[in-house]
Amino acid sequence: MTDPHTTKVLVIGYVWPEPRSSAASGHVMQILDVFLQQSWDVTFSSPASFGEQRADLTALGIREVPIELNNSSFDTFISELKPDIVLFDQFMMEEQFGWRVEKHCPDALRVLESCDLQSLRHARHQRLKERLKANDDNNDFHDLFAPALREEFEHMADTDLAKREVASFYRCDLTLLVSEVEIELLVEQFRIPRHLLHWNPLMVDLPDSAPVPFEARANFIHIGNFRHAPNWDAVLWLKTAIWPLIREQLPAAQLHIYGAYTPPKATALHNPAQGFHIMNWAEDALKVMSAARICLAPLRFGAGIKGKIVDAMLTGTPNVTTPVGAEAMHGEEPWPGAVTRTARDFADQAVQLHNDKALWLQAQANAQTLLASRYQQSLHGPALIQRLLDCQRDLASIRRDNFTGSMLRHHHHKSTQYMAQWIEAKNRLN
């Protein structure tokens, strides 16, 4: 029987976690692990169907409870569970279930986990589409990468997605963000109070063994879930612009591209004669990353921080990326590889790292320093727990001072509640 004083946590997931398929799910699993280390009682629920590679949460001692959208059965479930903390995984879950949580468990701390700022990623994607449509030269994006925060805000502010997402941040008692850049954007441009946000990057344990040496490695690697639009765009840029430039200098070079949910349009790019290999899903991403000499992450848009680059650092694999890939990932620390803005520079830097052992070893050393300074679970896990406990203690004052959030909850929850009840009634008739 659960100790009545044990903190109860309900996590409402957009999907069931697949940590071997996406960094977003990996971050959720890291947060769950932090909760379990506190011996908290954790329940995970989601309205999504089970994915191919979902984690076995029950083996970790986490209760799994499927839930339905627009169904009052959730009201009974949460009323009986009586969680102390409810964590919404992505803002859409807060939109759907926030009003039910507030109605039936008003004293529960409501926390939102944002793996990336989706409205920022979407706005950047739209800019890239416009750029590609207007200019056939897709090799030079020098003026597109990482503009000032004010410019990012101007591209986002009028979008429905930004209004929904930022409103959800206000409605919650605390929002977890992986990117310091996104925190600054929200505070400086969207005027969200800083005390409603908490920096919680990817949290890892430092490697306890030496990485695979330079001489034992071969080939280039790219890895990323194909359902994530920035990853698919990166593969296209590799195929059309970057990889041919690398092969000009290294005619025997091989590129292995791994990703979950590989679509036919990706497998159609497989071309061994060009050294371009679509490898599908990697059962062990760290293992295949350890075998590669260079990780390529040519991200032309995106948000958050990049799991593939953290994996590269964990395995001592130098990487080449763009300002989008490196954003919010290294602070004042030197980059463990190279950050580039054009296809030509990207290819040149990749070849140089591939061939120059001294440069490669320096990049590897930079990765170890960076992991220790910014990504240790032993630092960020306790900081997260302390922040949650502080918020629980000060919950009344947090909510009183967040009048904008209270106002948004009042209007949003009423409209969402009536819509959900209408949909549920309509479903009964059908």
Side-chain angles (χ1 to χ4, degrees):
M1 180 177 294
T2 302
D3 185 333
H5 301 293
T6 298
T7 296
K8 288 185 178 181
V9 181
L10 171 63
V11 180
I12 303 177
Y14 181 68
V15 297
W16 296 93
E18 295 188 14
R20 295 187 296 175
S21 298
S22 76
S25 283
H27 190 236
V28 170
M29 293 298 294
Q30 291 163 5
I31 293 173
L32 292 175
D33 183 56
V34 169
F35 293 163
L36 293 175
Q37 289 181 27
Q38 299 298 307
S39 298
W40 287 358
D41 180 52
V42 183
T43 300
F44 194 100
S45 295
S46 177
S49 57
F50 292 143
E52 296 175 9
Q53 310 298 338
R54 77 182 184 96
D56 185 358
L57 299 180
T58 58
L60 301 175
I62 297 173
R63 189 180 304 106
E64 294 182 342
V65 180
I67 53 178
E68 295 183 41
L69 298 172
N70 305 308
N71 194 310
S72 57
S73 60
F74 179 87
D75 303 346
T76 302
F77 159 64
I78 197 170
S79 296
E80 293 175 351
L81 183 64
K82 295 182 174 64
D84 302 292
I85 299 173
V86 177
L87 177 72
F88 302 102
D89 170 32
Q90 303 194 31
F91 78 90
M92 295 83 77
M93 292 299 94
E94 187 277 332
E95 285 185 327
Q96 289 289 335
F97 295 99
W99 69 271
R100 296 183 186 274
V101 171
E102 182 170 12
K103 180 178 180 180
H104 298 285
C105 293
D107 295 329
L109 181 69
R110 297 186 291 270
V111 183
L112 174 61
E113 190 276 331
S114 176
C115 58
D116 68 0
L117 194 55
Q118 294 186 38
S119 51
L120 174 61
R121 168 162 44 90
H122 177 75
R124 287 174 168 175
H125 195 183
Q126 292 304 115
R127 290 209 306 277
L128 175 63
K129 289 178 179 179
E130 293 167 4
R131 173 66 178 273
L132 293 177
K133 185 176 181 180
N135 188 346
D136 291 335
D137 177 12
N138 67 343
N139 296 331
D140 186 349
F141 295 89
H142 189 87
D143 61 337
L144 186 64
F145 288 129
L149 293 183
R150 182 64 191 179
E151 186 177 343
E152 297 282 24
F153 171 76
E154 290 171 354
H155 286 288
M156 299 167 62
D158 289 334
T159 66
D160 289 344
L161 187 58
K163 293 170 184 175
R164 289 172 55 198
E165 189 170 28
V166 172
S168 182
F169 293 173
Y170 267 109
R171 287 193 298 266
C172 290
D173 302 311
L174 185 70
T175 294
L176 312 181
L177 291 132
V178 299
S179 166
E180 292 167 305
V181 170
E182 292 172 11
I183 289 176
E184 294 308 308
L185 176 63
L186 291 168
V187 171
E188 294 179 11
Q189 302 300 325
F190 287 92
R191 300 292 188 252
I192 293 183
R194 192 178 292 272
H195 70 268
L196 295 179
L197 310 175
H198 178 74
W199 180 48
N200 183 241
L202 299 182
M203 300 178 287
V204 299
D205 295 321
L206 299 183
D208 56 6
S209 59
V212 176
F214 179 84
E215 292 80 7
R217 296 172 180 250
N219 307 321
F220 296 83
I221 188 173
H222 172 79
I223 191 165
N225 189 322
F226 282 103
R227 288 182 174 175
H228 192 50
N231 292 332
W232 171 237
D233 178 75
V235 171
L236 291 178
W237 199 28
L238 275 169
K239 177 71 172 181
T240 60
I242 296 170
W243 187 243
L245 296 174
I246 292 176
R247 289 274 289 192
E248 282 181 6
Q249 302 179 64
L250 298 173
Q254 305 294 309
L255 171 60
H256 294 165
I257 296 177
Y258 294 88
Y261 300 103
T262 310
K265 65 182 180 180
T267 56
L269 300 180
H270 181 71
N271 191 326
Q274 296 175 354
F276 199 90
H277 304 270
I278 303 296
M279 307 296 289
N280 299 317
W281 178 68
E283 185 170 349
D284 187 336
L286 294 180
K287 182 177 180 180
V288 297
M289 187 72 79
S290 293
R293 186 171 290 181
I294 304 294
C295 171
L296 304 180
L299 297 163
R300 294 193 285 191
F301 71 99
I305 58 178
K306 314 308 179 293
K308 61 178 69 63
I309 293 178
V310 172
D311 285 348
M313 290 191 286
L314 286 169
T315 57
T317 309
N319 76 87
V320 184
T321 190
T322 64
V324 170
E327 182 178 83
M329 291 205 65
H330 63 115
E332 300 300 320
E333 302 291 347
W335 188 252
V339 180
T340 68
R341 292 173 178 264
T342 68
R344 170 58 69 183
D345 191 32
F346 195 105
D348 290 346
Q349 294 289 342
V351 170
Q352 186 177 7
L353 271 170
H354 179 275
N355 293 343
D356 189 331
K357 181 178 179 180
L359 188 65
W360 189 90
L361 288 173
Q362 183 58 59
Q364 188 178 81
N366 291 346
Q368 302 311 305
T369 301
L370 184 50
L371 284 172
S373 68
R374 290 179 67 87
Y375 296 101
Q376 286 196 71
Q377 195 264 11
S378 60
L379 297 176
H380 294 290
L384 173 59
I385 295 300
Q386 188 60 54
R387 187 66 186 274
L388 294 176
L389 295 176
D390 290 345
C391 286
Q392 284 185 297
R393 184 190 66 238
D394 301 330
L395 187 56
S397 61
I398 289 172
R399 290 181 177 173
R400 182 186 63 243
D401 294 341
N402 182 17
F403 179 77
T404 300
S406 177
M407 179 175 60
L408 289 168
R409 288 199 309 276
H410 172 78
H411 292 288
H412 174 268
H413 288 353
K414 290 296 184 184
S415 60
T416 304
Q417 175 182 347
Y418 297 145
M419 177 60 73
Q421 291 172 339
W422 179 82
I423 293 173
E424 183 175 9
K426 184 173 181 290
N427 289 339
R428 288 199 193 101
L429 294 176
N430 294 335

